Amino acid sequence: MSDRKDIALRRAESLQKRHAAETRFRWYGRAAISFGMLCIVFLFTDIFSKGAGAFQQTYIDMEIHFDPEVLGLTPQSTPAEIEQASFGSFFKKALRQQYPDLTSRKEKRQLYGLVTSDMPLTLRNQVMAEPSLIGTTKSIRMIADDDIDVYYKYSYGRDNEDGTSVGRATELQQSIVAELAQQGRIGTRFNNTFFTAADSREPELAGIKGAIVGSMLTLMITLIISFPIAVATAIYLEEFAPKNKLTDFIEVNINNLAAVPSVIFGLLGLAIFINFFGLPRSVPLVGGLVLSLMTLPTIIISSRAAIKAVPPSIRDAALGMGASKVQTVLHHVLPLALPGMLTGTIIGMAQALGETAPLLMIGMVAFIVDVPASVGDSATVLPVQIFLWSDSPERGFVEKTSAAIMVLLTFLIFMNSFAVWLRKRLERRW
Amino acid sequence: MTERFQTVGNPLLEDPKMRVRNASVFYADKQAIFDVDLDIGKNQVISMIGPSGCGKSTFLRCLNRMNDTIDICRVEGQLELDGQDINDRKIDVVELRARVGMVFQKPNPFPKSIYENVAYGARIHGLTDNKVQLDDLVEQCLQRCGLWKEVKDRLHEPATGLSGGQQQRLCIARAIAVNPEVILMDEPCSALDPIATATVEELIHELSQNFTICIVTHSMQQAARVSERTAYFHLGKLIEVNDTSKVFTNPEHQLTEEYITGRIG
């Protein structure tokens, strides 16, 4: 045996090593967290700096004289006559009147390109609503074309060293913008279009409402189908099913399903729902069915965990009083497991909301300009809309892409916070 | 098979409430109870004592088929309540458990209000017709358990807010609300302090006038205080059954003597 002094010395030495190891470990943890936070900050800064612009829209004010002769209309014209009138050529003429110096065909085209190509239609609608406009002159606020929009928002009034500008605004258009700005006839306002319109080929007219509604319809179907099936499965497997080879096999398969790449579910949906059952393509109904296949294992697994977490003493108490198995489950186990089940469901829904790949397989990637009204209408969803826009060559879609990501993230953060709140709210101690 | 062990003392009675013959319990292949013969008298308190793992709790759980909840557990032999075989697969365990109630080792009130805890059994068995009767029943049961004065102003507060002793008495109130014939108690005082224990023991004593009570306990003093008969289990065998005073003063079997004098256990 070594003497006391020696032991004390060894102990001090080992203590020092232990302290060092603990400090080191703490720093590893801090480094890992900082790295994660840095990535998130970088991601958010990037998305926000790119996407913030999409919430602003450039407008141009133009004096338009609703010339009865050019339109061939009078204030007494019927809607049918207004429908027939050629607002396209009228609008071009009205613009030309403002800039009589622009004579060449090329210059004229650039002039027409200042505002969105949708303008003649908007004017027609205004006249339709208010026929008394005919014969008067009115200042009309117009949505600027996407090239002008990005030029005005990102290049106008800033010194670019190499003289280049964002977007495809020509020198002529740039000089007109400068002139308009001097007169105070160009500016930005909140971009209503982005939240009220569906997709469009023109970035200035493209909005996210179609995708949001499509996502909601799809998620609704997913929830309606997956929640009851998953909860019934979880309760049966956990409380009623005998523990044997068959249930083991089912359990392994459920766990495996949770790990299957989502694109496979898309192929499955394509084969079964579209090819076999003949359901239409690109509709939220099929999208929801496919996503519920994908979400089922997630909800089942979390529901089973929630049921397992209910203390057995509660079951014993109920059974010991002569409650039947079903009564025990419905009266005692389910209320206690419900918060966990709901949390799992919301997290599964959030996953489904962000899913793209399986929906590409069933055709929800189509270009759709209408806001879907039912689960049987062609639709697209938020992540697919992001994918579509990120793929578009127009400069105007860059900010739209980031803005759509912001909207998607907002929904996800909202859903996850709701899950946390719900768990806190329903949790009961025993 | 080893030769059958013969229980010493007086395991059999005339006109018992419950009659157990040749009861054996297996967990998968492992035998936990060996050929127990025992009669449980009407409106009597019988206590089961023995070292840890001797099978007394397992035996108790046979009496209302709570062992059914354990998949690998198998019970053999003849178990009768008022002459009716309760180990029959065809019997309705819901009815059996309404007649043979149970109180567990750890107080396990439902995470609901005090009122709901007591009312639950009456509700599921449809014992009352209206709210007034149910209120009466709840009050009556709480009063019998000496809990009424303590909780009457907070009936609708969570039962989990009560102290350990109060929770255990609430569990007993919950059990008697179903009006069972037999109450099984599995170490009901092991999680309680001495004062709460004394209250529960008093309660057991009072209840024994109307109920048949089987109590598993680790405390020999408790067995001596509350029970009229005592059964001593050892390694799954029922060693000795006799009047409590006889078991503690003049045990017949050597193992019993070693246990009560503190040499085993």
PDB file of all heavy atoms in Angstrom, chain B residues 8-24:
ATOM      1  N   VAL B   8     -48.978 -25.764   6.938  1.00  0.00           N
ATOM      2  CA  VAL B   8     -49.324 -26.083   8.312  1.00  0.00           C
ATOM      3  C   VAL B   8     -50.324 -25.064   8.849  1.00  0.00           C
ATOM      4  O   VAL B   8     -50.499 -24.003   8.266  1.00  0.00           O
ATOM      5  CB  VAL B   8     -48.078 -26.135   9.220  1.00  0.00           C
ATOM      6  CG1 VAL B   8     -47.110 -27.195   8.739  1.00  0.00           C
ATOM      7  CG2 VAL B   8     -47.419 -24.777   9.320  1.00  0.00           C
ATOM      8  N   GLY B   9     -50.962 -25.362   9.934  1.00  0.00           N
ATOM      9  CA  GLY B   9     -51.947 -24.460  10.525  1.00  0.00           C
ATOM     10  C   GLY B   9     -53.347 -24.774  10.028  1.00  0.00           C
ATOM     11  O   GLY B   9     -53.658 -25.918   9.696  1.00  0.00           O
ATOM     12  N   ASN B  10     -54.192 -23.728   9.919  1.00  0.00           N
ATOM     13  CA  ASN B  10     -55.576 -23.915   9.488  1.00  0.00           C
ATOM     14  C   ASN B  10     -55.902 -23.119   8.239  1.00  0.00           C
ATOM     15  O   ASN B  10     -56.510 -22.065   8.331  1.00  0.00           O
ATOM     16  CB  ASN B  10     -56.540 -23.477  10.600  1.00  0.00           C
ATOM     17  CG  ASN B  10     -56.389 -24.344  11.824  1.00  0.00           C
ATOM     18  OD1 ASN B  10     -56.388 -25.566  11.714  1.00  0.00           O
ATOM     19  ND2 ASN B  10     -56.222 -23.694  12.957  1.00  0.00           N
ATOM     20  N   PRO B  11     -55.479 -23.590   7.068  1.00  0.00           N
ATOM     21  CA  PRO B  11     -55.757 -22.812   5.847  1.00  0.00           C
ATOM     22  C   PRO B  11     -57.230 -22.879   5.454  1.00  0.00           C
ATOM     23  O   PRO B  11     -57.699 -22.010   4.728  1.00  0.00           O
ATOM     24  CB  PRO B  11     -54.880 -23.461   4.781  1.00  0.00           C
ATOM     25  CG  PRO B  11     -54.616 -24.838   5.286  1.00  0.00           C
ATOM     26  CD  PRO B  11     -54.669 -24.780   6.781  1.00  0.00           C
ATOM     27  N   LEU B  12     -57.952 -23.889   5.914  1.00  0.00           N
ATOM     28  CA  LEU B  12     -59.324 -24.067   5.428  1.00  0.00           C
ATOM     29  C   LEU B  12     -60.334 -23.598   6.478  1.00  0.00           C
ATOM     30  O   LEU B  12     -60.086 -23.665   7.673  1.00  0.00           O
ATOM     31  CB  LEU B  12     -59.564 -25.535   5.087  1.00  0.00           C
ATOM     32  CG  LEU B  12     -58.535 -26.154   4.149  1.00  0.00           C
ATOM     33  CD1 LEU B  12     -58.952 -27.568   3.768  1.00  0.00           C
ATOM     34  CD2 LEU B  12     -58.310 -25.308   2.914  1.00  0.00           C
ATOM     35  N   LEU B  13     -61.464 -23.104   5.977  1.00  0.00           N
ATOM     36  CA  LEU B  13     -62.512 -22.624   6.874  1.00  0.00           C
ATOM     37  C   LEU B  13     -63.833 -23.213   6.425  1.00  0.00           C
ATOM     38  O   LEU B  13     -63.964 -23.691   5.307  1.00  0.00           O
ATOM     39  CB  LEU B  13     -62.632 -21.093   6.794  1.00  0.00           C
ATOM     40  CG  LEU B  13     -61.491 -20.234   7.315  1.00  0.00           C
ATOM     41  CD1 LEU B  13     -61.794 -18.794   6.991  1.00  0.00           C
ATOM     42  CD2 LEU B  13     -61.283 -20.422   8.805  1.00  0.00           C
ATOM     43  N   GLU B  14     -64.837 -23.066   7.266  1.00  0.00           N
ATOM     44  CA  GLU B  14     -66.177 -23.428   6.843  1.00  0.00           C
ATOM     45  C   GLU B  14     -66.844 -22.212   6.267  1.00  0.00           C
ATOM     46  O   GLU B  14     -66.699 -21.098   6.787  1.00  0.00           O
ATOM     47  CB  GLU B  14     -66.973 -23.932   8.046  1.00  0.00           C
ATOM     48  CG  GLU B  14     -66.929 -25.433   8.141  1.00  0.00           C
ATOM     49  CD  GLU B  14     -67.739 -25.920   9.309  1.00  0.00           C
ATOM     50  OE1 GLU B  14     -68.842 -25.376   9.527  1.00  0.00           O
ATOM     51  OE2 GLU B  14     -67.238 -26.829  10.007  1.00  0.00           O
ATOM     52  N   ASP B  15     -67.596 -22.387   5.174  1.00  0.00           N
ATOM     53  CA  ASP B  15     -68.334 -21.319   4.520  1.00  0.00           C
ATOM     54  C   ASP B  15     -67.470 -20.071   4.266  1.00  0.00           C
ATOM     55  O   ASP B  15     -67.751 -18.990   4.785  1.00  0.00           O
ATOM     56  CB  ASP B  15     -69.558 -20.933   5.391  1.00  0.00           C
ATOM     57  CG  ASP B  15     -70.454 -19.966   4.640  1.00  0.00           C
ATOM     58  OD1 ASP B  15     -70.431 -20.009   3.385  1.00  0.00           O
ATOM     59  OD2 ASP B  15     -71.136 -19.171   5.301  1.00  0.00           O
ATOM     60  N   PRO B  16     -66.402 -20.214   3.486  1.00  0.00           N
ATOM     61  CA  PRO B  16     -65.532 -19.064   3.228  1.00  0.00           C
ATOM     62  C   PRO B  16     -66.121 -18.136   2.152  1.00  0.00           C
ATOM     63  O   PRO B  16     -66.999 -18.539   1.399  1.00  0.00           O
ATOM     64  CB  PRO B  16     -64.251 -19.707   2.722  1.00  0.00           C
ATOM     65  CG  PRO B  16     -64.708 -20.960   2.057  1.00  0.00           C
ATOM     66  CD  PRO B  16     -65.963 -21.413   2.752  1.00  0.00           C
ATOM     67  N   LYS B  17     -65.608 -16.914   2.135  1.00  0.00           N
ATOM     68  CA  LYS B  17     -65.990 -15.980   1.073  1.00  0.00           C
ATOM     69  C   LYS B  17     -65.272 -16.379  -0.216  1.00  0.00           C
ATOM     70  O   LYS B  17     -65.873 -16.445  -1.293  1.00  0.00           O
ATOM     71  CB  LYS B  17     -65.584 -14.553   1.470  1.00  0.00           C
ATOM     72  CG  LYS B  17     -65.975 -13.502   0.469  1.00  0.00           C
ATOM     73  CD  LYS B  17     -67.469 -13.243   0.535  1.00  0.00           C
ATOM     74  CE  LYS B  17     -67.905 -12.326  -0.607  1.00  0.00           C
ATOM     75  NZ  LYS B  17     -69.354 -12.342  -0.773  1.00  0.00           N
ATOM     76  N   MET B  18     -63.990 -16.613  -0.095  1.00  0.00           N
ATOM     77  CA  MET B  18     -63.219 -17.052  -1.261  1.00  0.00           C
ATOM     78  C   MET B  18     -62.516 -18.349  -0.922  1.00  0.00           C
ATOM     79  O   MET B  18     -62.025 -18.546   0.184  1.00  0.00           O
ATOM     80  CB  MET B  18     -62.191 -15.993  -1.676  1.00  0.00           C
ATOM     81  CG  MET B  18     -62.823 -14.688  -2.131  1.00  0.00           C
ATOM     82  SD  MET B  18     -61.631 -13.570  -2.900  1.00  0.00           S
ATOM     83  CE  MET B  18     -61.685 -14.092  -4.595  1.00  0.00           C
ATOM     84  N   ARG B  19     -62.487 -19.237  -1.927  1.00  0.00           N
ATOM     85  CA  ARG B  19     -61.856 -20.538  -1.722  1.00  0.00           C
ATOM     86  C   ARG B  19     -60.805 -20.733  -2.815  1.00  0.00           C
ATOM     87  O   ARG B  19     -61.107 -20.574  -4.004  1.00  0.00           O
ATOM     88  CB  ARG B  19     -62.911 -21.627  -1.828  1.00  0.00           C
ATOM     89  CG  ARG B  19     -62.446 -23.009  -1.400  1.00  0.00           C
ATOM     90  CD  ARG B  19     -63.316 -24.083  -2.009  1.00  0.00           C
ATOM     91  NE  ARG B  19     -64.742 -23.855  -1.741  1.00  0.00           N
ATOM     92  CZ  ARG B  19     -65.388 -24.349  -0.680  1.00  0.00           C
ATOM     93  NH1 ARG B  19     -64.760 -25.098   0.191  1.00  0.00           N
ATOM     94  NH2 ARG B  19     -66.670 -24.110  -0.535  1.00  0.00           N
ATOM     95  N   VAL B  20     -59.577 -21.011  -2.395  1.00  0.00           N
ATOM     96  CA  VAL B  20     -58.490 -21.205  -3.359  1.00  0.00           C
ATOM     97  C   VAL B  20     -57.956 -22.615  -3.189  1.00  0.00           C
ATOM     98  O   VAL B  20     -57.647 -23.038  -2.077  1.00  0.00           O
ATOM     99  CB  VAL B  20     -57.358 -20.180  -3.109  1.00  0.00           C
ATOM    100  CG1 VAL B  20     -56.205 -20.413  -4.070  1.00  0.00           C
ATOM    101  CG2 VAL B  20     -57.891 -18.760  -3.228  1.00  0.00           C
ATOM    102  N   ARG B  21     -57.900 -23.355  -4.296  1.00  0.00           N
ATOM    103  CA  ARG B  21     -57.370 -24.722  -4.243  1.00  0.00           C
ATOM    104  C   ARG B  21     -56.348 -24.916  -5.348  1.00  0.00           C
ATOM    105  O   ARG B  21     -56.614 -24.610  -6.515  1.00  0.00           O
ATOM    106  CB  ARG B  21     -58.490 -25.747  -4.441  1.00  0.00           C
ATOM    107  CG  ARG B  21     -59.520 -25.812  -3.329  1.00  0.00           C
ATOM    108  CD  ARG B  21     -58.974 -26.473  -2.058  1.00  0.00           C
ATOM    109  NE  ARG B  21     -59.998 -26.467  -1.028  1.00  0.00           N
ATOM    110  CZ  ARG B  21     -60.213 -25.449  -0.185  1.00  0.00           C
ATOM    111  NH1 ARG B  21     -59.455 -24.361  -0.257  1.00  0.00           N
ATOM    112  NH2 ARG B  21     -61.157 -25.509   0.715  1.00  0.00           N
ATOM    113  N   ASN B  22     -55.185 -25.437  -4.938  1.00  0.00           N
ATOM    114  CA  ASN B  22     -54.189 -25.834  -5.935  1.00  0.00           C
ATOM    115  C   ASN B  22     -53.750 -24.690  -6.862  1.00  0.00           C
ATOM    116  O   ASN B  22     -53.467 -24.922  -8.032  1.00  0.00           O
ATOM    117  CB  ASN B  22     -54.754 -26.930  -6.837  1.00  0.00           C
ATOM    118  CG  ASN B  22     -54.390 -28.280  -6.301  1.00  0.00           C
ATOM    119  OD1 ASN B  22     -53.280 -28.447  -5.784  1.00  0.00           O
ATOM    120  ND2 ASN B  22     -55.320 -29.213  -6.392  1.00  0.00           N
ATOM    121  N   ALA B  23     -53.725 -23.462  -6.320  1.00  0.00           N
ATOM    122  CA  ALA B  23     -53.380 -22.339  -7.193  1.00  0.00           C
ATOM    123  C   ALA B  23     -51.878 -22.301  -7.456  1.00  0.00           C
ATOM    124  O   ALA B  23     -51.064 -22.355  -6.529  1.00  0.00           O
ATOM    125  CB  ALA B  23     -53.831 -21.028  -6.566  1.00  0.00           C
ATOM    126  N   SER B  24     -51.540 -22.243  -8.756  1.00  0.00           N
ATOM    127  CA  SER B  24     -50.145 -22.086  -9.151  1.00  0.00           C
ATOM    128  C   SER B  24     -50.081 -20.951 -10.165  1.00  0.00           C
ATOM    129  O   SER B  24     -50.978 -20.796 -10.978  1.00  0.00           O
ATOM    130  CB  SER B  24     -49.598 -23.349  -9.812  1.00  0.00           C
ATOM    131  OG  SER B  24     -49.579 -24.387  -8.876  1.00  0.00           O
TER     132      SER B  24
END
